[in-house]
Amino acid sequence: MNVRVLIVGGGPAGLTAAAALAPRVDGPVLVLDRERTMGGIPRHSDHPGYGLRDLRRFISGPAYARRLTDLAAAAGAQLETEAMVTGWASSHAVEVTSPRGRRTMTADAVVLATGARERPRPARLIPGDRPDGVYTTGQLQNLVHLHHAEVGRRAVVIGAELVSWSAVLTLREAGCRTVLMTSEFDRPEAYAAFHLPGRVGLRVPVRTRHRVVAIHGKGRVSGVDVEDLRTGKRSFVACDTVITTGDWIPDHELARLGGLTIDAGTLGPRVDAGLRTSAPGVFAAGNLLHPVDTADVAALDGRHVAAAVLDHLAAVPRGSSAPGAVEVVVDAPLQWVSPQIVEPGGPGPSRDRFLAWTTVFQRFPTVTATQGGRVIGSVRLAWPAAPGRVFRIPFSVVRDADPNGGPVHLSVTGRRESTVSGTVASPG
Amino acid sequence: MNPPLTCDVAVIGGGIVGAAIARRLGGTSLSTVLVEGRDDVGDGTSKANTAILHTGFDATPGTLESTLVARGYHLLSEYASATGIPVERTSALLVAWDDEQLAALPGLCTKAEKNGYDECELVGPDEVYRRVPDLGPGALGGLTVPGESIICTWTTNLALATDAVNRGVTLLRGRRVVAVDDGSLTFADGSSLRARWVINAAGLGADKIDNLFGYDRFTVTPRRGELLVFDKLARAKVPVIVLPVPSKVGKGVLVSPTIYGNVMLGPTAEDLTDRTATGTSAAGFSFLRSKGADLMPSLLQEEVTATYAGLRAAIDRNDYLISLDASLRYVLVGGIRSTGLTAGMAIAEHVAGLLSPHLDVAPRPDLPAPPRMPNLGEAFTRPYQDAALISADPEYGRVVCFCERVTRGEIRDAYASPIPPADLDGLRRRTRAMNGRCQGFYCGAEVQALVSSRGEASSYGDASSPGDASSRGDVSSRGGASSCGGVSSRGGVSSRGDASSRGDASSRGGAR
Ligand SMILES: Cc1cc2nc3c(=O)[nH]c(=O)nc-3n(C[C@H](O)[C@H](O)[C@H](O)COP(=O)(O)OP(=O)(O)OC[C@H]3O[C@@H](n4cnc5c(N)ncnc54)[C@H](O)[C@@H]3O)c2cc1C
Ligand SMILES: Cc1cc2nc3c(=O)[nH]c(=O)nc-3n(C[C@H](O)[C@H](O)[C@H](O)COP(=O)(O)OP(=O)(O)OC[C@H]3O[C@@H](n4cnc5c(N)ncnc54)[C@H](O)[C@@H]3O)c2cc1C
């Protein structure tokens, strides 16, 4: 079977890409998703907070998922659920399993929009017993919102970022009290930006610079050991549920199986500003590229990727190997940046922003771009750099890069640099 | 309460060893009951090992273990082809990292020959790196063991137990033996069983049962082995089983591919006192990570999919302890520490030999064919890849667990099988569901719903549909009937209603 554009993953990124492409492509645009319904993670994230930047609304996850599905269908895209892409048959053909059969799909362009997941307990190497009652937020929300299943009564939530508060909300809805949140950072990652805890009156004790070092329980969780990272002191906290939140990793299996170049920072495919991967005709969008940003930003990736896909279909010659492309790398405490390849003077990334991740909180950060040791740009930002959520950097900071000058380094400092003149950008 | 059940032989322990013995005796005209204290077979040491089908090349020559491992290797290899237990002939490579280890290799080659295995070959460092290019620096040489293979320990245990049940053995799950009195076994739930002969294959609990027969001849020391399982994306780095050169301290840490397509690093070896201490430890993890950093640094860049720990039933002697007491009509099968997966079928054969002067253990005619087990091996076609199967039954095209590609058809089949799962872990061992890299982020809720409905599809899309609840009720009773009703009528022994007692959390807790 043959389509013009195949989009793997029907979350916000994939559906929005489909809606943008279907009216402009001379042939079928097909979205495959392995779940029973389209929509990706928002399907089971049943609280308001979706759609701000892409739809200019503030709606719940399920409503958002339905709306994006309707928009893609109305635009003429074909949407197929319970269809899992399990591997590649060739560079432009994938293998698909669905109740309708096992088949190979060939496409002129492939967009990977497979999202990201939270690292579960084993991947975090949390030792101890292996009882029931330890979930990621994703599993918790599936349990509560889709299956109306019971969870426990007393939960410890590991992590204090945006998604962690989403977990607390879900627990509360399921009648489970969050007795403790732990964060290894010295402030709750999400406090500065996320007003939800205040707004909904969630009073949850948060222990910063603490880590869960053991889980106890036979059959069901009975409690956790929590260590104070400053003193090494340990204490036992009784609970019957543990939620491991955040600590994202892209769902990069197909990207890796397809031999795409993987970025060592994001662990997703390396892309240029047009969201082209290292394989011609293969594109990527959404949280696969930046684990993780909010759904609206993932969706806007989907809109953004359309231009490069259309160019490819029209055989407009260019690509990540085009002359004039420079690599963007980050210095600590930044951990990754997306996209990683840009053309100075060329089109910018989605929303003209780099997305980056930091491990240190800086209330008034200045981002500096250097190339070959020379400062080529600097910008002082009006929003903080905070662990646990994406840090946005204006594309303009690399505007003056030399196309032949080698990699551009992005670094962030907390104090105001007086030697370089910076512009103050506004949040968004 | 029901009157006591009776049988010719009771086998205590539904691990690989007990299941193999029950299967062997089930093939005779003796009435046999397989008694397992937990809610499922294969839920003890037999579920948490390194799953290598050993040639026995490094056993101590002249021991019973050496003989039975070599014999078991052949028996299980054949049985695996007959039943579809997945086996991958990966071969193993012992790698020497210092001069002392290098000097030990020729001796290991000679020892292998004494164990009847003459296919080992000494190789230089170039050959070592040709075979495993991702190995860390510093390898000085190696010894190949072409016959070492990887196998699915879960399917092995289940195949043997299923075969036993098909042959007429009565399986009692959730019946922990707490007392023995002149041929009568009493279980923790108060029920009892009269048996002419008792075979003790209770693994970590074998010394306790032995005590109940009045013996005081050995103590089981639980020797914990912790393991890290790495993501499938690391599998290509580890084409063969990479073994350390054994030292006085034990077999050491290996890196091995798993039959499910992952990579395993471990095990540790730590003597404990608590026989239920299958938890993992921070010290174990950091030890394994430092070992891994030497063996294969790039492996540590990959994600960890699972961590687990198994307990070897170590005893204070360097061999299996298998002994028959004719006056008590009792056989002890103890000390099956680190080779029992491989040797299980040979142990069963050996035990039948010991019993033959006392009981008629001749095979009876018209035995049913061995069961065909669902394939859990990554190297062989799985239902999600099988176009013909999916077009015949679309449920095999409905992927539930995405990471491990487990379909709803396979989950349904597990619940319809002769020994259906008792809980989520049992389903994991039968299908691989939820064993993958996301550990339930995507599919956990769906799998849990299938566990509650015993394999019947959930329909959260229309939760209010009245058909939903009634169809579920139907299935759980059907599952109950096929799990024990069928078995008990066959063996002429009535067992307690598996399905109903399973729902009772408090009794379940007690049995663990
Ligand atoms: C608990 C939680 C709360 C959140 N709260 C908010 C919030 O309030 N506001 C907000 O804006 N964002 C929120 N987010 C983030 C938001 O959900 C994500 O940013 C968004 O879903 C990312 O979209 P995506 O399309 O990149 O990926 P996803 O939504 O993850 O979609 C990926 C899709 O790809 C499919 N897929 C993957 N692999 C395959 C394959 N091989 N074959 C077929 N299909 C495949 C998956 O089934 C999935 O449907 C939250 C996230 C979580 C986990
Ligand atoms: C880390 C590790 C790695 C290993 N690697 C390998 C390998 O690569 N290859 C290999 O061949 N072998 C290996 N082994 C060894 C192998 O796993 C064991 O030898 C084998 O599983 C033993 O089987 P079993 O039936 O004797 O014991 P078990 O599987 O423990 O079964 C005993 C059963 O008896 C039951 N029981 C106990 N007490 C009672 C009671 N009172 N009443 C009723 N039931 C009772 C238990 O519940 C249990 O199910 C390894 C072991 C470990 C721990």
Side-chain angles (χ1 to χ4, degrees):
Chain A
M1 262 169 272
N2 227 313
V3 291
R4 270 301 249 172
V5 181
L6 174 67
I7 298 169
V8 186
L15 288 172
T16 308
L21 283 163
R24 292 147 81 187
V25 169
D26 53 342
V29 172
L30 171 66
V31 184
L32 296 179
D33 199 288
R34 58 195 184 183
E35 297 280 358
R36 249 185 279 178
T37 12
M38 285 281 162
I41 285 180
R43 278 175 310 122
H44 54 72
S45 186
D46 197 0
H47 57 70
Y50 284 88
L52 208 53
R53 295 182 182 87
D54 58 334
L55 301 180
R56 309 268 165 222
R57 300 164 186 245
F58 193 76
I59 53 181
S60 76
Y64 179 67
R66 281 192 298 273
R67 175 119 188 109
L68 292 186
T69 308
D70 292 346
L71 289 173
Q78 299 172 13
L79 309 179
E80 191 181 334
T81 53
E82 287 191 302
M84 175 165 185
V85 177
T86 61
W88 299 82
S90 70
S91 62
H92 282 91
V94 297
E95 278 159 347
V96 184
T97 293
S98 80
R100 296 161 296 282
R102 173 82 170 162
R103 65 189 196 275
T104 303
M105 293 285 324
T106 308
D108 297 317
V110 177
V111 180
L112 297 179
T114 50
R117 64 179 189 274
E118 296 167 289
R119 281 194 177 80
R121 180 214 174 163
R124 299 169 190 235
L125 291 179
I126 303 173
D129 299 327
R130 293 184 301 284
D132 292 341
V134 183
Y135 312 114
T136 52
T137 316
Q139 181 173 0
L140 171 74
Q141 296 196 334
N142 265 304
L143 281 169
V144 172
H145 294 312
L146 296 186
H147 289 271
H148 310 289
E150 294 263 314
V151 290
R153 297 257 152 253
R154 288 171 58 89
V156 168
V157 171
I158 299 177
E161 53 185 81
L162 283 171
V163 63
S164 322
W165 291 101
S166 177
V168 172
L169 280 176
T170 304
L171 287 166
R172 192 175 67 163
E173 196 182 313
C176 182
R177 196 157 65 87
T178 302
V179 294
L180 179 66
M181 288 175 94
T182 64
S183 169
E184 294 185 30
F185 295 105
D186 51 14
R187 64 173 68 223
E189 292 92 316
Y191 263 137
F194 202 52
H195 304 302
L196 194 60
R199 197 181 297 151
V200 298
L202 291 171
R203 268 195 301 275
V204 175
V206 180
R207 281 195 216 163
T208 56
R209 313 262 353 238
H210 273 71
R211 189 163 57 122
V212 170
V213 291
I215 294 178
H216 302 287
K218 303 266 181 221
R220 180 81 193 188
V221 174
S222 61
V224 297
D225 288 338
V226 180
E227 183 181 277
D228 184 332
L229 294 172
R230 282 160 293 218
T231 62
K233 211 176 129 255
R234 293 185 173 193
S235 52
F236 176 82
V237 179
C239 62
D240 56 18
T241 303
V242 177
I243 312 293
T244 56
T245 69
D247 197 358
W248 302 88
I249 172 156
D251 244 302
H252 58 197
E253 183 182 35
L254 287 175
R256 287 186 64 178
L257 293 177
L260 306 186
T261 305
I262 299 295
D263 182 67
T266 62
L267 299 180
R270 276 173 78 86
V271 288
D272 68 8
L275 302 183
R276 299 170 190 84
T277 71
S278 62
V282 180
F283 305 81
N287 280 340
L288 172 63
L289 299 176
H290 38 74
V292 301
D293 207 339
T294 47
D296 49 4
V297 172
L300 291 170
D301 274 358
R303 202 175 287 169
H304 184 77
V305 76
V309 173
L310 291 169
D311 279 358
H312 168 78
L313 294 178
V316 175
R318 63 182 295 167
S320 56
S321 56
V326 300
E327 199 187 339
V328 182
V329 291
V330 287
D331 298 333
L334 295 180
Q335 288 194 307
W336 54 253
V337 66
S338 176
Q340 299 86 10
I341 297 161
V342 296
E343 279 174 64
S350 177
R351 308 179 64 239
D352 277 329
R353 297 269 192 278
F354 287 108
L355 305 183
W357 201 257
T358 184
T359 54
V360 173
F361 183 87
Q362 280 153 339
R363 187 170 297 287
F364 300 107
T366 296
V367 175
T368 306
T370 56
Q371 196 178 25
R374 195 175 62 87
V375 173
I376 56 163
S378 174
V379 57
R380 188 162 67 87
L381 301 174
W383 57 86
R389 63 196 159 94
V390 164
F391 174 49
R392 304 171 207 289
I393 301 172
F395 178 59
S396 58
V397 74
V398 304
R399 199 172 32 210
D400 296 333
D402 173 357
N404 303 307
V408 172
H409 282 253
L410 295 182
S411 59
V412 61
T413 46
R415 274 167 296 113
R416 186 176 182 165
E417 306 280 345
S418 50
T419 46
V420 288
S421 60
T423 43
V424 175
S426 63
Chain B
M1 189 179 296
N2 296 326
L5 322 170
T6 58
C7 62
D8 291 324
V9 187
V11 180
I12 305 174
I16 283 178
V17 173
I21 294 170
R23 173 189 166 275
R24 173 65 182 82
L25 298 178
T28 69
S29 48
L30 299 165
S31 66
T32 306
V33 177
L34 176 58
V35 177
E36 170 52 55
R38 301 187 192 225
D39 287 344
D40 199 2
V41 297
D43 196 22
T45 302
S46 297
K47 78 174 174 192
N49 50 46
T50 48
I52 295 172
L53 180 58
H54 289 302
T55 54
F57 79 99
D58 63 344
T60 307
T63 56
L64 183 60
E65 181 172 14
S66 158
T67 311
L68 295 184
V69 171
R71 173 81 181 138
Y73 178 83
H74 293 290
L75 288 176
L76 185 52
S77 293
E78 264 170 44
Y79 191 65
S81 345
T83 53
I85 299 167
V87 174
E88 264 185 76
R89 302 280 164 194
T90 54
S91 86
L93 181 64
L94 269 97
V95 178
W97 298 93
D98 60 33
D99 290 333
E100 194 184 328
Q101 293 177 358
L102 191 64
L105 292 180
L108 284 167
C109 200
T110 316
K111 186 178 180 188
E113 280 162 14
K114 284 198 195 133
N115 283 315
Y117 188 76
D118 54 11
E119 287 170 46
C120 291
E121 204 188 334
L122 290 163
V123 294
D126 292 352
E127 180 60 15
V128 167
Y129 286 106
R130 195 191 63 76
R131 288 180 189 228
V132 192
D134 286 287
L135 220 52
L140 301 178
L143 179 75
T144 66
V145 195
E148 294 282 289
S149 306
I150 58 176
I151 188 168
C152 178
T153 188
W154 303 329
T155 308
T156 302
N157 203 135
L158 194 64
L160 292 166
T162 303
D163 208 352
V165 168
N166 290 348
R167 288 173 167 201
V169 171
T170 298
L171 169 64
L172 300 178
R173 294 192 270 175
R175 300 287 180 91
R176 192 161 53 86
V177 176
V178 290
V180 176
D181 181 24
D182 190 26
S184 177
L185 303 178
T186 306
F187 303 122
D189 65 0
S191 62
S192 59
L193 170 68
R194 289 202 63 82
R196 283 170 61 210
W197 279 78
V198 176
I199 309 210
N200 171 6
L204 289 163
D207 57 346
K208 297 280 188 276
I209 300 284
D210 206 42
N211 296 157
L212 296 179
F213 278 89
Y215 277 104
D216 185 14
R217 51 184 155 175
F218 74 110
T219 311
V220 171
T221 304
R223 182 170 296 158
R224 178 163 66 180
E226 294 182 57
L227 292 127
L228 298 180
V229 178
F230 287 86
D231 196 282
K232 291 187 168 49
L233 292 162
R235 172 64 172 82
K237 293 176 187 296
V238 188
V240 308
I241 305 162
V242 179
L243 297 173
V245 177
S247 70
K248 278 130 255 149
V249 246
K251 283 196 176 180
V253 172
L254 58 85
V255 184
S256 169
T258 75
I259 200 78
Y260 319 111
N262 297 70
V263 170
M264 182 171 64
L265 174 70
T268 58
E270 181 191 0
D271 284 346
L272 304 175
T273 48
D274 179 357
R275 293 166 194 229
T276 63
T278 51
T280 52
S281 69
F285 289 164
S286 63
F287 172 77
L288 289 177
R289 288 186 66 82
S290 76
K291 281 283 178 191
D294 293 340
L295 281 167
M296 192 176 283
S298 64
L299 183 61
L300 297 191
Q301 308 300 308
E302 300 289 345
E303 295 292 311
V304 170
T305 293
T307 64
Y308 63 95
L311 298 175
R312 307 171 189 84
I315 63 169
D316 31 21
R317 68 201 294 249
N318 194 21
D319 201 355
Y320 293 168
L321 178 52
I322 303 180
S323 131
L324 178 142
D325 181 328
S327 62
L328 290 175
R329 296 192 308 277
Y330 165 64
V331 183
L332 164 67
V333 185
I336 318 293
R337 292 156 301 178
S338 46
T339 48
L341 159 59
T342 307
M345 294 184 76
I347 293 172
E349 201 181 59
H350 179 73
V351 167
L354 294 179
L355 286 171
S356 62
H358 311 280
L359 287 169
D360 178 8
V361 293
R364 68 168 203 264
D366 303 331
L367 285 177
R372 245 353 256 186
M373 303 305 289
N375 167 44
L376 302 189
E378 193 72 359
F380 310 98
T381 306
R382 307 224 356 260
Y384 84 89
Q385 298 168 306
D386 190 335
L389 189 65
I390 297 170
S391 57
D393 182 349
E395 292 295 282
Y396 295 113
R398 202 157 257 142
V399 183
V400 173
C401 164
F402 305 120
C403 302
E404 298 294 300
R405 284 96 189 262
V406 183
T407 64
R408 210 192 280 166
E410 291 161 274
I411 293 177
R412 175 202 60 200
D413 293 352
Y415 280 101
S417 70
I419 309 178
D423 57 15
L424 175 60
D425 277 349
L427 183 67
R428 293 168 81 134
R429 290 194 294 275
R430 283 162 179 81
T431 62
R432 284 169 49 177
M434 257 180 84
N435 284 354
R437 54 173 73 94
C438 94
Q439 292 284 306
F441 179 88
Y442 296 111
C443 73
E446 178 77 11
V447 172
Q448 199 156 309
L450 287 167
V451 169
S452 325
S453 67
R454 303 191 61 72
E456 180 73 349
S458 73
S459 51
Y460 60 73
D462 46 4
S464 57
S465 121
D468 197 30
S470 64
S471 70
R472 258 179 220 167
D474 179 37
V475 167
S476 67
S477 71
R478 206 167 64 206
S482 68
S483 69
C484 65
V487 175
S488 62
S489 64
R490 215 181 156 136
V493 173
S494 78
S495 69
R496 87 178 175 189
D498 257 10
S500 60
S501 61
R502 240 179 243 136
D504 176 357
S506 62
S507 83
R508 194 172 69 193
R512 275 197 180 148

